Coordinates of all heavy atoms in Angstrom, one line a residue:
K12 N 0.8 -1.2 0.0 CA 0.0 0.0 0.0 C 0.9 1.2 0.0 O 1.8 1.4 0.8 CB -0.9 0.0 1.2 CG -1.8 1.1 1.3 CD -2.7 1.0 2.5 CE -3.7 2.1 2.6 NZ -4.6 2.0 3.6
N13 N 0.6 2.2 -0.9 CA 1.3 3.4 -1.0 C 0.8 4.4 0.0 O -0.4 4.7 0.0 CB 1.3 4.0 -2.4 CG 2.1 3.2 -3.3 OD1 3.1 2.5 -2.9 ND2 1.8 3.2 -4.6
I14 N 1.7 5.0 0.8 CA 1.2 6.0 1.8 C 1.8 7.3 1.3 O 3.1 7.4 1.1 CB 1.7 5.7 3.2 CG1 1.1 4.3 3.6 CG2 1.4 6.8 4.2 CD1 1.7 3.8 4.9
P15 N 1.0 8.4 1.1 CA 1.6 9.6 0.6 C 2.6 10.2 1.6 O 2.4 10.2 2.8 CB 0.3 10.5 0.5 CG -0.8 9.9 1.2 CD -0.4 8.4 1.4
F16 N 3.6 10.8 1.1 CA 4.7 11.4 1.9 C 4.5 12.9 1.8 O 4.4 13.5 0.7 CB 6.1 11.0 1.4 CG 7.2 11.5 2.3 CD1 7.5 10.8 3.4 CD2 7.9 12.6 2.0 CE1 8.5 11.1 4.3 CE2 9.0 13.0 2.8 CZ 9.3 12.2 3.9
P17 N 4.3 13.6 3.0 CA 4.1 15.1 2.9 C 5.3 15.8 2.3 O 6.4 15.5 2.6 CB 4.0 15.5 4.4 CG 4.2 14.3 5.2 CD 4.4 13.1 4.3
E18 N 5.0 16.6 1.3 CA 6.1 17.3 0.6 C 6.7 18.4 1.4 O 7.8 18.8 1.2 CB 5.5 17.9 -0.7 CG 5.1 16.8 -1.7 CD 4.6 17.4 -3.0 OE1 5.0 18.6 -3.3 OE2 3.9 16.7 -3.7
D19 N 6.0 19.0 2.4 CA 6.5 20.1 3.2 C 7.2 19.6 4.4 O 7.4 20.4 5.3 CB 5.4 21.0 3.5 CG 4.3 20.4 4.4 OD1 4.3 19.2 4.5 OD2 3.5 21.2 4.9
I20 N 7.6 18.4 4.5 CA 8.2 17.9 5.7 C 9.7 18.5 5.9 O 10.2 18.5 7.0 CB 8.3 16.4 5.8 CG1 8.5 15.9 7.2 CG2 9.3 15.8 4.8 CD1 8.3 14.4 7.4
G21 N 10.3 18.9 4.9 CA 11.6 19.4 5.0 C 12.7 18.3 4.9 O 12.4 17.2 4.5
T22 N 13.9 18.7 5.2 CA 15.0 17.7 5.1 C 15.2 17.1 6.5 O 15.2 17.7 7.5 CB 16.3 18.4 4.7 OG1 16.0 19.1 3.5 CG2 17.4 17.5 4.6
I23 N 15.4 15.8 6.5 CA 15.6 15.0 7.7 C 17.0 14.7 7.8 O 17.6 14.0 6.9 CB 14.7 13.7 7.8 CG1 13.2 14.1 7.6 CG2 15.0 13.0 9.0 CD1 12.3 13.0 7.4
D24 N 17.7 15.1 8.9 CA 19.1 14.8 9.1 C 19.3 14.0 10.4 O 18.4 14.0 11.3 CB 19.9 16.1 9.2 CG 20.0 16.8 7.8 OD1 20.4 16.1 6.9 OD2 19.8 18.0 7.7
E25 N 20.4 13.4 10.5 CA 20.8 12.5 11.6 C 21.1 13.4 12.8 O 21.9 14.3 12.8 CB 21.9 11.6 11.3 CG 22.3 10.7 12.3 CD 23.4 9.7 11.9 OE1 23.9 9.8 10.8 OE2 23.8 8.9 12.8
F26 N 20.5 13.1 14.0 CA 20.8 13.7 15.2 C 22.2 13.2 15.7 O 22.5 12.0 15.7 CB 19.7 13.4 16.3 CG 20.0 14.0 17.6 CD1 20.3 15.3 17.8 CD2 20.0 13.2 18.7 CE1 20.6 15.8 19.1 CE2 20.2 13.7 20.0 CZ 20.5 15.0 20.2
T27 N 23.0 14.1 16.1 CA 24.4 13.8 16.5 C 24.5 13.2 18.0 O 25.4 12.6 18.3 CB 25.3 15.0 16.5 OG1 24.9 16.0 17.4 CG2 25.4 15.6 15.1
G28 N 23.4 13.5 18.7 CA 23.5 13.1 20.1 C 24.1 14.2 21.0 O 24.3 14.0 22.2
L29 N 24.5 15.3 20.3 CA 25.2 16.4 21.0 C 24.3 17.6 21.0 O 23.4 17.8 20.2 CB 26.5 16.7 20.2 CG 27.5 15.5 20.1 CD1 28.6 15.9 19.1 CD2 28.0 15.1 21.4
S30 N 24.7 18.6 21.9 CA 24.0 19.9 21.9 C 25.1 21.0 21.9 O 26.2 20.8 22.3 CB 23.2 20.0 23.2 OG 22.2 19.0 23.3
D31 N 24.7 22.1 21.4 CA 25.6 23.3 21.4 C 25.7 23.9 22.7 O 25.1 23.5 23.7 CB 25.2 24.3 20.2 CG 24.0 25.1 20.5 OD1 23.3 24.9 21.6 OD2 23.7 26.0 19.7
K32 N 26.4 25.1 22.8 CA 26.6 25.7 24.1 C 25.3 26.2 24.7 O 25.2 26.5 25.9 CB 27.6 26.9 24.0 CG 27.1 28.0 23.2 CD 28.1 29.1 23.1 CE 27.5 30.4 22.6 NZ 28.4 31.5 22.8
N33 N 24.2 26.3 23.9 CA 22.9 26.8 24.4 C 22.0 25.6 24.8 O 20.8 25.9 25.1 CB 22.3 27.7 23.4 CG 23.1 29.0 23.2 OD1 23.7 29.6 24.1 ND2 23.3 29.3 21.9
G34 N 22.5 24.4 24.6 CA 21.6 23.2 24.8 C 20.8 22.8 23.6 O 19.9 22.0 23.8
T35 N 21.0 23.5 22.5 CA 20.2 23.2 21.3 C 20.7 21.9 20.6 O 21.9 21.8 20.4 CB 20.3 24.3 20.3 OG1 19.9 25.5 20.9 CG2 19.4 24.1 19.1
P36 N 19.9 20.9 20.4 CA 20.3 19.7 19.7 C 21.0 20.0 18.4 O 20.5 20.8 17.6 CB 19.1 18.8 19.5 CG 18.1 19.4 20.5 CD 18.4 20.9 20.6
I37 N 22.1 19.3 18.1 CA 22.9 19.5 16.9 C 22.6 18.3 15.9 O 22.7 17.1 16.3 CB 24.4 19.5 17.1 CG1 24.7 20.7 18.1 CG2 25.2 19.6 15.8 CD1 26.1 20.7 18.6
Y38 N 22.2 18.7 14.6 CA 21.9 17.7 13.6 C 23.0 17.8 12.5 O 23.5 18.9 12.3 CB 20.5 17.9 13.0 CG 19.4 17.5 14.0 CD1 19.0 18.4 15.0 CD2 18.9 16.3 13.9 CE1 18.0 18.1 15.9 CE2 17.9 15.9 14.8 CZ 17.5 16.8 15.8 OH 16.5 16.4 16.7
E39 N 23.1 16.7 11.8 CA 24.0 16.8 10.6 C 23.4 17.8 9.6 O 22.2 17.9 9.4 CB 24.0 15.4 9.9 CG 24.9 15.2 8.8 CD 25.0 13.8 8.2 OE1 24.1 13.0 8.5 OE2 25.9 13.5 7.5
G40 N 24.2 18.6 9.0 CA 23.7 19.7 8.1 C 23.6 21.0 8.8 O 23.4 22.0 8.1
D41 N 23.7 21.0 10.1 CA 23.7 22.3 10.8 C 25.0 23.1 10.6 O 26.0 22.5 10.3 CB 23.5 22.1 12.3 CG 22.1 21.8 12.8 OD1 21.2 22.1 12.0 OD2 21.9 21.4 13.9
I42 N 24.9 24.4 10.7 CA 26.1 25.2 10.6 C 26.3 25.8 11.9 O 25.4 26.3 12.6 CB 25.9 26.4 9.5 CG1 25.6 25.8 8.2 CG2 27.1 27.3 9.5 CD1 25.2 26.8 7.1
V43 N 27.6 25.5 12.4 CA 27.9 26.0 13.8 C 29.0 27.1 13.7 O 29.9 27.0 12.9 CB 28.3 24.8 14.7 CG1 27.2 23.9 15.0 CG2 29.5 24.1 14.1
K44 N 28.8 28.1 14.6 CA 29.9 29.1 14.8 C 30.7 28.6 15.9 O 30.2 28.3 17.0 CB 29.2 30.4 15.1 CG 30.2 31.5 15.4 CD 29.6 32.9 15.5 CE 28.3 33.0 16.2 NZ 27.8 34.4 16.4
I45 N 32.0 28.6 15.7 CA 33.0 28.1 16.7 C 33.7 29.3 17.3 O 34.4 30.0 16.6 CB 33.9 27.1 16.1 CG1 33.1 25.9 15.6 CG2 34.9 26.6 17.2 CD1 33.9 24.9 14.7
R46 N 33.6 29.5 18.6 CA 34.3 30.5 19.3 C 35.0 29.9 20.5 O 34.6 29.0 21.1 CB 33.3 31.5 19.9 CG 32.6 32.4 18.8 CD 31.6 33.3 19.5 NE 31.2 34.4 18.6 CZ 31.9 35.6 18.5 NH1 33.0 35.8 19.2 NH2 31.5 36.5 17.7
D47 N 36.1 30.5 20.8 CA 36.9 30.1 21.9 C 37.3 31.3 22.7 O 37.4 32.4 22.2 CB 38.2 29.3 21.5 CG 38.7 28.4 22.5 OD1 38.2 28.4 23.6 OD2 39.7 27.7 22.3
T48 N 37.6 31.1 24.0 CA 38.1 32.2 24.8 C 39.6 32.3 24.8 O 40.2 31.2 25.2 CB 37.5 32.1 26.2 OG1 36.1 32.0 26.1 CG2 37.9 33.3 27.1
N49 N 40.1 33.4 24.5 CA 41.6 33.5 24.5 C 42.1 33.5 26.0 O 41.3 33.9 26.9 CB 42.1 34.6 23.7 CG 41.8 36.0 24.3 OD1 41.5 36.2 25.5 ND2 41.7 37.0 23.4
Q50 N 43.3 33.2 26.2 CA 43.8 33.1 27.5 C 44.1 34.4 28.2 O 44.1 34.5 29.4 CB 45.1 32.3 27.5 CG 45.0 30.8 27.0 CD 44.1 30.0 27.9 OE1 44.1 30.2 29.1 NE2 43.3 29.1 27.3
K51 N 44.3 35.5 27.4 CA 44.8 36.8 28.0 C 43.6 37.6 28.5 O 43.5 37.8 29.7 CB 45.5 37.6 26.9 CG 46.8 36.9 26.5 CD 47.5 37.7 25.4 CE 48.8 36.9 25.0 NZ 49.5 37.5 23.9
G52 N 42.7 38.0 27.6 CA 41.7 38.9 28.1 C 40.3 38.3 28.4 O 39.4 38.9 28.8
G53 N 40.2 37.0 28.1 CA 38.9 36.3 28.3 C 37.8 36.7 27.3 O 36.7 36.3 27.5
L54 N 38.2 37.4 26.2 CA 37.2 37.7 25.2 C 37.1 36.6 24.2 O 38.1 36.0 23.8 CB 37.7 39.0 24.4 CG 37.8 40.3 25.3 CD1 38.4 41.4 24.5 CD2 36.4 40.6 25.9
P55 N 35.9 36.3 23.7 CA 35.8 35.2 22.7 C 36.5 35.5 21.4 O 36.3 36.6 20.9 CB 34.3 35.1 22.5 CG 33.7 36.3 23.1 CD 34.7 37.0 24.0
D56 N 37.2 34.6 20.9 CA 37.8 34.7 19.6 C 37.0 33.9 18.6 O 36.6 32.7 18.9 CB 39.2 34.0 19.6 CG 40.2 34.9 20.3 OD1 40.1 36.1 20.3 OD2 41.2 34.3 20.9
F57 N 36.7 34.5 17.4 CA 35.9 33.7 16.4 C 36.9 32.8 15.7 O 38.0 33.3 15.2 CB 35.3 34.7 15.4 CG 34.7 34.1 14.2 CD1 33.5 33.4 14.4 CD2 35.3 34.1 13.0 CE1 32.9 32.8 13.3 CE2 34.7 33.5 11.9 CZ 33.5 32.9 12.1
L58 N 36.6 31.6 15.6 CA 37.5 30.6 14.9 C 37.0 30.3 13.5 O 37.8 30.4 12.6 CB 37.6 29.3 15.8 CG 38.3 29.5 17.1 CD1 38.3 28.2 17.9 CD2 39.7 30.1 17.0
S59 N 35.8 29.8 13.4 CA 35.3 29.5 12.1 C 33.8 29.1 12.1 O 33.2 29.0 13.1 CB 36.1 28.3 11.5 OG 35.8 27.1 12.2
L60 N 33.3 29.0 10.9 CA 31.9 28.4 10.6 C 32.1 27.1 10.0 O 32.9 26.9 9.1 CB 31.1 29.3 9.7 CG 30.7 30.7 10.1 CD1 30.0 31.4 9.0 CD2 29.9 30.7 11.4
E61 N 31.4 26.1 10.5 CA 31.6 24.7 10.0 C 30.2 24.0 9.8 O 29.3 24.2 10.6 CB 32.4 23.9 11.1 CG 33.8 24.4 11.4 CD 34.8 24.0 10.3 OE1 34.5 23.0 9.5 OE2 35.8 24.6 10.3
E62 N 30.2 23.2 8.8 CA 29.0 22.4 8.6 C 29.2 21.1 9.4 O 30.3 20.5 9.4 CB 28.9 22.0 7.1 CG 27.8 21.0 6.8 CD 27.8 20.5 5.4 OE1 28.5 21.1 4.5 OE2 27.1 19.5 5.1
V63 N 28.2 20.7 10.1 CA 28.2 19.4 10.8 C 28.0 18.3 9.8 O 27.0 18.2 9.1 CB 27.1 19.3 11.9 CG1 27.2 18.0 12.6 CG2 27.3 20.5 12.9
R64 N 29.1 17.4 9.7 CA 29.0 16.3 8.8 C 29.5 15.0 9.5 O 30.2 15.0 10.4 CB 30.0 16.5 7.6 CG 29.6 17.7 6.8 CD 30.7 18.1 5.7 NE 31.9 18.6 6.4 CZ 33.1 18.2 6.2 NH1 33.4 17.3 5.3 NH2 34.1 18.7 6.8
F65 N 29.0 13.8 9.0 CA 29.4 12.5 9.5 C 30.4 12.0 8.5 O 30.1 11.7 7.4 CB 28.2 11.6 9.6 CG 28.5 10.4 10.4 CD1 28.8 10.4 11.7 CD2 28.5 9.1 9.7 CE1 29.1 9.2 12.4 CE2 28.8 8.0 10.4 CZ 29.1 8.0 11.7
V66 N 31.7 11.8 8.9 CA 32.8 11.4 8.1 C 33.6 10.4 8.9 O 34.0 10.7 10.0 CB 33.6 12.5 7.6 CG1 34.8 12.0 6.8 CG2 32.8 13.6 6.8
D67 N 33.9 9.2 8.3 CA 34.8 8.2 9.0 C 34.3 8.0 10.4 O 35.1 8.0 11.4 CB 36.2 8.7 9.0 CG 36.8 8.7 7.5 OD1 36.3 8.0 6.7 OD2 37.7 9.6 7.3
Y68 N 33.0 7.7 10.6 CA 32.5 7.3 11.9 C 32.6 8.4 13.0 O 32.6 8.1 14.2 CB 33.1 6.0 12.4 CG 33.0 4.9 11.4 CD1 34.1 4.5 10.6 CD2 31.8 4.3 11.2 CE1 34.0 3.5 9.7 CE2 31.7 3.3 10.2 CZ 32.8 2.9 9.5 OH 32.7 1.9 8.5
Q69 N 32.6 9.7 12.6 CA 32.7 10.7 13.6 C 32.0 12.0 13.0 O 32.0 12.2 11.8 CB 34.1 11.1 14.0 CG 35.0 11.4 12.9 CD 36.5 11.5 13.4 OE1 36.7 11.6 14.6 NE2 37.4 11.5 12.5
F70 N 31.5 12.8 13.9 CA 30.9 14.1 13.4 C 31.9 15.2 13.4 O 32.6 15.4 14.4 CB 29.7 14.5 14.3 CG 28.5 13.6 14.1 CD1 28.1 12.6 14.9 CD2 27.6 13.9 13.0 CE1 27.0 11.8 14.7 CE2 26.5 13.1 12.8 CZ 26.2 12.1 13.6
I71 N 32.1 15.8 12.2 CA 33.0 16.9 12.0 C 32.2 18.1 12.3 O 31.0 18.2 11.9 CB 33.4 16.9 10.5 CG1 34.0 15.6 10.1 CG2 34.4 18.1 10.3 CD1 35.3 15.2 10.8
P72 N 32.6 19.1 13.0 CA 33.9 19.4 13.5 C 34.2 19.0 15.0 O 35.2 19.4 15.6 CB 33.9 21.0 13.4 CG 32.5 21.3 13.8 CD 31.7 20.2 13.2
F73 N 33.4 18.1 15.5 CA 33.5 17.8 16.9 C 34.6 16.8 17.2 O 34.9 16.4 18.3 CB 32.2 17.3 17.5 CG 31.1 18.2 17.2 CD1 30.0 17.9 16.4 CD2 31.1 19.6 17.6 CE1 29.0 18.8 16.1 CE2 30.2 20.5 17.3 CZ 29.1 20.1 16.6
N74 N 35.3 16.4 16.2 CA 36.6 15.7 16.4 C 37.7 16.6 16.7 O 38.8 16.2 17.2 CB 36.9 14.8 15.1 CG 37.1 15.7 13.9 OD1 36.5 16.8 13.8 ND2 38.0 15.3 13.0
Q75 N 37.5 17.9 16.5 CA 38.5 18.9 16.7 C 38.1 19.9 17.8 O 39.0 20.5 18.5 CB 38.8 19.7 15.5 CG 39.4 18.9 14.4 CD 39.6 19.8 13.1 OE1 39.2 20.9 13.0 NE2 40.2 19.2 12.1
Y76 N 36.8 20.2 18.0 CA 36.4 21.2 18.9 C 35.3 20.7 19.8 O 34.4 19.9 19.4 CB 35.7 22.4 18.1 CG 36.7 23.1 17.1 CD1 36.5 22.9 15.8 CD2 37.7 23.9 17.5 CE1 37.3 23.4 14.8 CE2 38.6 24.4 16.6 CZ 38.4 24.2 15.3 OH 39.2 24.8 14.4
P77 N 35.3 21.1 21.1 CA 34.2 20.6 22.0 C 32.9 21.4 21.6 O 32.9 22.5 21.1 CB 34.7 21.0 23.4 CG 35.7 22.1 23.1 CD 36.3 21.9 21.8
T78 N 31.8 20.7 21.9 CA 30.5 21.3 21.6 C 30.2 22.6 22.4 O 29.4 23.4 22.1 CB 29.3 20.3 21.8 OG1 29.3 19.9 23.1 CG2 29.5 19.2 20.8
G79 N 30.9 22.7 23.6 CA 30.7 23.8 24.5 C 31.1 25.2 23.9 O 30.7 26.2 24.4
I80 N 31.9 25.2 22.8 CA 32.3 26.4 22.2 C 31.6 26.6 20.8 O 31.9 27.5 20.1 CB 33.8 26.6 22.0 CG1 34.4 25.5 21.1 CG2 34.5 26.5 23.4 CD1 35.8 25.7 20.7
C81 N 30.6 25.8 20.5 CA 29.9 25.8 19.3 C 28.4 26.3 19.5 O 27.8 26.0 20.5 CB 29.8 24.5 18.6 SG 31.4 23.8 18.2
E82 N 28.0 27.1 18.5 CA 26.6 27.6 18.5 C 26.0 27.4 17.1 O 26.6 27.9 16.1 CB 26.6 29.1 18.9 CG 25.2 29.7 19.0 CD 25.2 31.2 19.4 OE1 26.3 31.8 19.3 OE2 24.2 31.7 19.7
I83 N 24.8 26.8 17.1 CA 24.1 26.7 15.8 C 23.6 28.0 15.3 O 23.0 28.7 16.1 CB 22.9 25.7 15.9 CG1 23.4 24.3 16.4 CG2 22.1 25.6 14.6 CD1 22.3 23.4 16.8
I84 N 23.9 28.3 14.0 CA 23.5 29.6 13.5 C 22.6 29.4 12.2 O 22.1 30.3 11.7 CB 24.6 30.5 13.1 CG1 25.6 29.9 12.1 CG2 25.4 30.9 14.3 CD1 26.5 30.8 11.5
G85 N 22.4 28.1 11.9 CA 21.6 27.8 10.7 C 21.8 26.4 10.2 O 22.4 25.6 10.9
N86 N 21.4 26.1 9.0 CA 21.7 24.8 8.4 C 22.0 25.0 6.9 O 21.7 26.1 6.3 CB 20.6 23.8 8.6 CG 19.3 24.1 8.0 OD1 19.2 24.3 6.8 ND2 18.3 24.3 8.9
I87 N 22.6 24.0 6.3 CA 23.0 24.1 4.9 C 21.8 24.2 3.9 O 22.0 24.6 2.8 CB 23.9 23.0 4.5 CG1 23.3 21.6 4.6 CG2 25.2 23.1 5.3 CD1 24.1 20.5 4.0
Y88 N 20.6 23.8 4.3 CA 19.5 23.8 3.4 C 18.7 25.2 3.4 O 18.3 25.6 2.4 CB 18.5 22.7 3.9 CG 19.2 21.4 4.0 CD1 19.5 20.9 5.2 CD2 19.7 20.7 2.8 CE1 20.2 19.7 5.3 CE2 20.4 19.5 3.0 CZ 20.6 19.0 4.2 OH 21.3 17.8 4.3
E89 N 18.6 25.8 4.6 CA 17.9 27.0 4.7 C 18.8 28.2 4.6 O 18.4 29.3 4.3 CB 17.1 27.1 6.0 CG 16.0 26.0 6.1 CD 15.4 25.9 7.4 OE1 15.8 26.7 8.4 OE2 14.4 25.2 7.6
N90 N 20.1 28.0 4.9 CA 21.1 29.1 5.0 C 22.4 28.8 4.3 O 23.5 28.9 4.9 CB 21.4 29.5 6.4 CG 20.2 29.6 7.3 OD1 19.9 28.6 8.0 ND2 19.5 30.7 7.2
P91 N 22.3 28.3 3.0 CA 23.6 27.9 2.4 C 24.6 29.0 2.2 O 25.8 28.7 2.0 CB 23.1 27.4 1.0 CG 21.8 28.1 0.8 CD 21.2 28.3 2.1
T92 N 24.2 30.3 2.2 CA 25.2 31.3 2.0 C 26.0 31.7 3.2 O 26.9 32.5 3.1 CB 24.5 32.6 1.5 OG1 23.5 33.0 2.5 CG2 23.8 32.4 0.1
L93 N 25.7 31.0 4.3 CA 26.5 31.3 5.6 C 27.9 30.7 5.4 O 28.8 31.3 6.0 CB 25.8 30.7 6.8 CG 24.5 31.4 7.3 CD1 23.9 30.6 8.4 CD2 24.8 32.8 7.7
L94 N 28.0 29.7 4.7 CA 29.4 29.0 4.5 C 30.1 29.6 3.3 O 29.5 29.9 2.3 CB 29.2 27.5 4.3 CG 28.8 26.7 5.5 CD1 28.6 25.3 5.1 CD2 29.8 26.8 6.7
P95 N 31.4 29.7 3.4 CA 32.2 30.0 2.2 C 31.9 29.0 1.1 O 31.6 27.9 1.4 CB 33.7 29.9 2.7 CG 33.6 30.0 4.2 CD 32.3 29.4 4.6
Q96 N 32.1 29.5 -0.1 CA 31.7 28.6 -1.3 C 32.4 27.3 -1.3 O 31.9 26.3 -1.7 CB 32.0 29.4 -2.6 CG 31.1 30.4 -2.9 CD 29.7 29.9 -3.1 OE1 28.9 30.0 -2.1 NE2 29.4 29.3 -4.2
E97 N 33.7 27.2 -0.9 CA 34.4 25.9 -0.9 C 33.9 24.9 0.1 O 34.1 23.7 -0.1 CB 35.9 26.1 -0.7 CG 36.3 26.6 0.7 CD 36.3 28.2 0.7 OE1 36.0 28.8 -0.3 OE2 36.7 28.7 1.8
Q98 N 33.1 25.3 1.1 CA 32.6 24.4 2.1 C 31.2 23.9 1.8 O 30.8 22.8 2.1 CB 32.6 25.0 3.5 CG 33.9 25.1 4.1 CD 33.8 25.6 5.5 OE1 32.8 25.5 6.2 NE2 34.9 26.1 6.1
S99 N 30.4 24.7 1.1 CA 29.0 24.4 0.9 C 28.8 23.4 -0.3 O 29.7 23.1 -1.0 CB 28.2 25.6 0.6 OG 28.7 26.4 -0.4

């Protein structure tokens, strides 16, 4: 039996099991802003914008950065222009 699939459901991505610094669940395809606190003044340093991807059995960029310094700012489907062209 064919069951109709709603066309407006959007894109379904894999949940990473992780949350950003605000407690927001992180999904594959999300774009995260990575900030770190420098040792001298305690002011946040902007490091990069990264797409969350599953590569070689791990979620990128969390193989390099802890989720506590990441904040979701969008996703690659609704906000593709947030990433530099070579990443999107």
